[in-house]
Amino acid sequence: MFLKRLKFASQAALAVVFVALSLSVHAQFRVEVSGMGRAQIPLAFANLRGEEASPQKIAAIVQADLERSGQFRGLAAGKVIDETERPEFGDVRQKGADALFTGSVNKLADGRFDLRVRVWDSVKAQDLGAVSFVVVAGDLRLAAHRISDFVYEKLTGEKGVFSTRIAYVTKANGRYNLWVADSDGENAQSALASPEPIISPSWSPTGTQLAYVSFESRKPVVYVHDVSTGKRRLVANFKGSNSAPTWSTDGRSLAVTLSRDGGSQLFLIDAQGGEPRRLTQSSGIDTEPVFSPDGTAIYFVSDRGGSPQIYRMPAQGGPANRVTFTGNYNISPTLSPDGRLLAYISRVNGNFKLHVMDLASGTASPITDTNADERPSFAPNSRLIAYATVQDGREALMTTTIDGSIKARLSGQSGDIREPNWGPFFAAPR
Amino acid sequence: MKKILLSMAFVAVLAGCASGVKLDEVQVEDRTGSSVANNSNSGAANVSSLNARDVAGLNGNKPGPAGVESVVYFDYDSFSIKSESQAMLEAHARFLREDRTRKAALEGHTDERGGREYNLGLGQKRSEAVRRALVALGVNDAQLEAVSYGKEKPASTGSDEAAFAKNRRAEIAYR
């Protein structure tokens, strides 16, 4: 396996660096690297033959994707190498690169672009494989993310998440927009525009639908929105407030918070709508439900003990066990898809900070330096977390590695930006 | 070099049709013969065809009792109605008792600190406190709907205690 013989020791010493992306990088996010001891694969990027014909800087998008993952350190090979040639590895090894990215971009007669990429193990001088895409200009960024996924999987043995998508909400000029964007926050497409707030978007397990809370009828109600057709349906519009939708693992039902019986309590409702079934019976606030990846449990927030804490109960309702014991304000639970980690927001000295708990040991740590973190969600490979925060007085979306060592700020939209929700791997081609 | 090129076997490419709708399954064989890029996470739901919906809000409240305040303020982390709001609530209760066809929404709000969904729960506690107070004053529960905006609609956009105090409130809105 490629990973096993990487020379990690030399990289650890270099781990505390600030990687300033060059101004030629098209994407607007920046990658900050902090923390010690991360093992990163040094990957040299050759200039792609013919890339100047592409309106998108393919190699730069791939490099930024891979650096955002926290598992790669990009280097410039400093010359053009396309996917058809066998590179000279001496220069690349000299730069300390363990792998080399090569390829080409060709504009076809019909206006589409033919992207071809090959990855090499530069230490063994071994071809690790090639991939190609033929796309219209509008799909070049998505193709670049697919290339990132290919490189990531070749070099780490794990699935990449770069071609997955993130939903988020912006507020600008008194208007609210729900967006579906690439995993780097770019290429955003509006799914909903409204003069009233939109919160809590939540992807269905297949990545085809978003549930969310809209205030367009002057109260919070829950919609399910098919992102490809733009059609949507009201799922919970009961007397009082309807909020905090989250999908069951089979996608057939939603857990929601309803106040129709008084108070804020958890209910299960069919994804098509219908009569909800009450899951909790407390005199306080029960909200922010989320299903465990195996579908057997619901984690949620309750102030039944006097302060908001995270609890766990069987998915069909029943006795709840408290999960968080440190601090008096723990909210917004989310579970890693591998079931090992719980991310949540904890108030510490008046600051709201993203925490990650190892569920097996129960130990938790804050992983950010910001003070108004909100609404974490895991990438589908359990390696990254997207969350909202405030940076320099502005709302911002961030991604972080699960140990907090590498963070990236996502941009691409003006105005306040919030409520991220990282979508799943797509189960089936459409 | 030519031999390498020929052996690359780009099996399938993206169906980049003119509408730019989707990236299809891609399969490429590497030179060792094993399939290298059969990513099952391809076939992203069709971003290019995502249809934006533009919804209009509902505007305009109907008038309530003339000359009567319609905002109940709360202390930090509190859901109990202060004595200073009592006379105002009595005026609203009288108005609603006199015309049982009138309906009012009670909209709870919080300051900006903390999570959006948990604040929705806190705002709901405030609106329900007002609902209970009005019902205790003889208003039919069916005339009232207690809802919450959480921290989404601050009355004051500042981040100091003066702004927070203005935002911890429940508004009585006639529909």
Side-chain angles (χ1 to χ4, degrees):
Chain A
M1 191 69 216
F2 181 84
L3 254 185
K4 289 199 175 131
R5 53 147 197 74
L6 285 174
K7 299 155 289 180
F8 287 142
S10 63
Q11 304 314 323
L14 295 170
V16 186
V17 290
F18 181 81
V19 179
L21 293 184
S22 75
L23 291 174
S24 66
V25 173
H26 177 84
Q28 296 153 24
F29 47 76
R30 55 173 210 249
V31 180
E32 301 157 20
V33 182
S34 61
M36 291 293 292
R38 282 297 302 194
Q40 292 176 322
I41 299 170
L43 171 61
F45 285 82
N47 299 326
L48 303 181
R49 187 177 302 286
E51 187 175 24
E52 58 280 0
S54 167
Q56 298 285 353
K57 306 238 178 308
I58 303 300
I61 295 169
V62 173
Q63 182 171 346
D65 277 350
L66 293 168
E67 289 183 346
R68 213 167 51 251
S69 78
Q71 292 169 265
F72 291 86
R73 186 164 54 85
L75 303 163
K79 58 184 169 185
V80 173
I81 308 174
D82 75 24
E83 78 287 354
T84 64
E85 59 191 286
R86 187 167 184 87
E88 287 301 321
F89 290 103
D91 290 357
V92 178
R93 288 190 199 122
Q94 199 77 39
K95 292 173 193 284
D98 290 348
L100 174 66
F101 176 93
T102 67
S104 64
V105 179
N106 284 295
K107 189 167 185 179
L108 304 177
D110 63 7
R112 293 182 299 164
F113 292 87
D114 184 355
L115 311 183
R116 300 180 178 204
V117 159
R118 184 174 295 279
V119 183
W120 296 87
D121 178 333
S122 52
V123 178
K124 283 189 185 164
Q126 191 179 53
D127 177 10
L128 295 175
V131 68
S132 85
F133 297 91
V134 174
V135 291
V136 296
D139 283 338
L140 279 167
R141 289 196 71 90
L142 185 48
H145 296 311
R146 290 275 162 74
I147 289 169
S148 302
D149 286 340
F150 169 77
V151 176
Y152 184 89
E153 187 160 354
K154 281 288 144 195
L155 296 178
T156 70
E158 291 181 19
K159 261 173 105 164
V161 295
F162 308 109
S163 64
T164 61
R165 293 183 299 165
I166 293 179
Y168 57 79
V169 175
T170 56
K171 179 189 178 190
N173 307 315
R175 301 276 299 171
Y176 298 83
N177 255 283
L178 172 64
W179 301 91
V180 173
D182 290 353
S183 67
D184 58 2
E186 301 281 338
N187 204 24
Q189 315 270 327
S190 175
L192 185 73
S194 173
E196 297 294 334
I198 303 164
I199 63 169
S200 303
S202 171
W203 284 101
S204 68
T206 54
T208 55
Q209 296 181 304
L210 277 171
Y212 55 80
V213 178
S214 173
F215 291 76
E216 68 202 57
S217 51
R218 304 184 70 183
K219 57 179 275 189
V221 298
V222 175
Y223 284 90
V224 166
H225 192 119
D226 185 297
V227 294
S228 60
T229 64
K231 292 200 175 78
R232 62 180 189 154
R233 56 182 189 271
L234 256 175
V235 169
N237 181 23
F238 300 97
K239 189 174 183 182
S241 296
N242 308 258
S243 70
T246 191
W247 296 80
S248 64
T249 44
D250 66 6
R252 283 208 280 258
S253 48
L254 294 160
V256 292
T257 301
L258 305 180
S259 72
R260 65 168 208 174
D261 297 349
S264 299
Q265 294 286 294
L266 300 183
F267 290 77
L268 198 63
I269 190 166
D270 192 281
Q272 301 300 319
E275 185 60 19
R277 184 166 71 79
R278 188 161 171 177
L279 292 173
T280 55
Q281 305 277 346
S282 79
S283 58
I285 297 169
D286 289 348
T287 190
E288 296 196 294
V290 61
F291 285 84
S292 63
D294 66 5
T296 62
I298 292 175
Y299 288 71
F300 64 102
V301 170
S302 179
D303 66 354
R304 59 186 64 187
S307 66
Q309 298 289 347
I310 296 164
Y311 290 78
R312 180 183 195 274
M313 69 175 177
Q316 66 275 15
N321 296 314
R322 190 166 155 180
V323 175
T324 50
F325 292 94
T326 306
N328 60 7
Y329 191 101
N330 294 306
I331 61 161
S332 304
T334 185
L335 292 155
S336 62
D338 64 13
R340 292 174 48 240
L341 304 174
L342 170 73
Y344 61 99
I345 305 298
S346 185
R347 187 175 62 197
V348 182
N349 300 325
N351 296 320
F352 298 89
K353 299 187 88 71
L354 173 60
H355 283 59
V356 173
M357 177 188 285
D358 177 72
L359 285 170
S361 67
T363 56
S365 341
I367 62 166
T368 68
D369 297 323
T370 41
N371 298 326
D373 303 340
E374 288 187 3
R375 201 155 197 262
S377 60
F378 279 91
N381 68 355
S382 301
R383 289 284 192 169
L384 294 170
I385 299 169
Y387 61 104
T389 193
V390 174
Q391 254 195 357
D392 308 323
R394 298 288 295 180
E395 291 182 11
L397 294 193
M398 308 288 294
T399 63
T400 178
T401 51
I402 54 179
D403 64 357
S405 64
I406 285 102
K407 296 190 177 70
R409 178 175 180 154
L410 307 183
S411 69
Q413 294 295 324
S414 59
D416 284 332
I417 182 165
R418 53 183 63 172
E419 297 291 274
N421 187 246
W422 206 317
F425 289 124
F426 293 95
R430 293 164 60 91
Chain B
M1 193 135 92
K2 195 169 186 181
K3 191 175 160 208
I4 295 170
L5 178 61
L6 289 172
S7 66
M8 284 179 75
F10 291 100
V11 174
V13 293
L14 287 173
C17 53
S19 61
V21 162
K22 65 181 175 182
L23 293 171
D24 267 335
E25 196 75 15
V26 177
Q27 284 190 313
V28 175
E29 302 233 323
D30 69 6
R31 290 184 299 142
T32 62
S34 62
S35 179
V36 296
N38 188 6
N39 290 336
S40 61
N41 58 325
S42 58
N46 233 329
V47 182
S48 318
S49 69
L50 199 154
N51 293 328
R53 295 183 66 105
D54 202 333
V55 297
L58 302 172
N59 289 315
N61 290 325
K62 291 178 179 160
V68 179
E69 262 298 303
S70 60
V71 183
V72 181
Y73 293 97
F74 292 83
D75 288 337
Y76 176 66
D77 207 23
S78 171
F79 314 96
S80 55
I81 290 167
K82 294 189 266 190
S83 55
E84 67 200 43
S85 299
Q86 198 58 32
M88 181 243 284
L89 287 175
E90 281 167 10
H92 284 282
R94 202 174 310 120
F95 182 81
L96 286 160
R97 281 198 312 265
E98 280 166 8
D99 185 350
R100 298 289 187 185
T101 68
R102 296 305 305 270
K103 289 186 170 3
L106 314 169
E107 301 169 339
H109 298 265
T110 68
D111 66 41
E112 68 178 18
R113 293 170 288 183
R116 295 180 191 281
E117 282 287 353
Y118 188 67
N119 273 314
L120 217 54
L122 295 176
Q124 188 70 29
K125 278 192 177 180
R126 291 189 173 134
S127 65
E128 291 187 2
V130 173
R131 178 173 60 88
R132 279 192 299 273
L134 291 172
V135 169
L137 292 166
V139 178
N140 281 346
D141 197 42
Q143 291 175 271
L144 305 172
E145 182 175 18
V147 302
S148 179
Y149 275 92
K151 66 175 185 176
E152 305 307 319
K153 289 253 170 171
S156 171
T157 53
S159 292
D160 53 12
E161 180 47 38
F164 293 161
K166 284 198 180 71
N167 293 335
R168 292 190 298 261
R169 71 199 194 277
E171 298 187 5
I172 302 170
Y174 288 87
R175 298 286 159 79

PDB file of all heavy atoms in Angstrom, chain B residues 25 42 157:
ATOM      1  N   GLU B  25     -21.141   7.896 -14.845  1.00  0.00           N
ATOM      2  CA  GLU B  25     -20.168   6.915 -14.391  1.00  0.00           C
ATOM      3  C   GLU B  25     -18.949   6.949 -15.306  1.00  0.00           C
ATOM      4  O   GLU B  25     -19.055   7.037 -16.510  1.00  0.00           O
ATOM      5  CB  GLU B  25     -20.821   5.543 -14.480  1.00  0.00           C
ATOM      6  CG  GLU B  25     -20.131   4.480 -13.713  1.00  0.00           C
ATOM      7  CD  GLU B  25     -20.390   4.610 -12.237  1.00  0.00           C
ATOM      8  OE1 GLU B  25     -21.304   5.332 -11.830  1.00  0.00           O
ATOM      9  OE2 GLU B  25     -19.650   3.974 -11.490  1.00  0.00           O
ATOM     10  N   SER B  42     -20.250   8.811  -8.238  1.00  0.00           N
ATOM     11  CA  SER B  42     -20.511   9.655  -9.394  1.00  0.00           C
ATOM     12  C   SER B  42     -22.016   9.794  -9.563  1.00  0.00           C
ATOM     13  O   SER B  42     -22.784   9.212  -8.828  1.00  0.00           O
ATOM     14  CB  SER B  42     -19.877   9.040 -10.625  1.00  0.00           C
ATOM     15  OG  SER B  42     -20.387   7.751 -10.810  1.00  0.00           O
ATOM     16  N   THR B 157     -30.180  44.844  16.006  1.00  0.00           N
ATOM     17  CA  THR B 157     -29.117  44.011  15.452  1.00  0.00           C
ATOM     18  C   THR B 157     -27.800  44.107  16.216  1.00  0.00           C
ATOM     19  O   THR B 157     -26.826  43.475  15.850  1.00  0.00           O
ATOM     20  CB  THR B 157     -28.841  44.391  13.979  1.00  0.00           C
ATOM     21  OG1 THR B 157     -28.597  45.786  13.927  1.00  0.00           O
ATOM     22  CG2 THR B 157     -30.020  44.016  13.104  1.00  0.00           C
TER      23      THR B 157
END
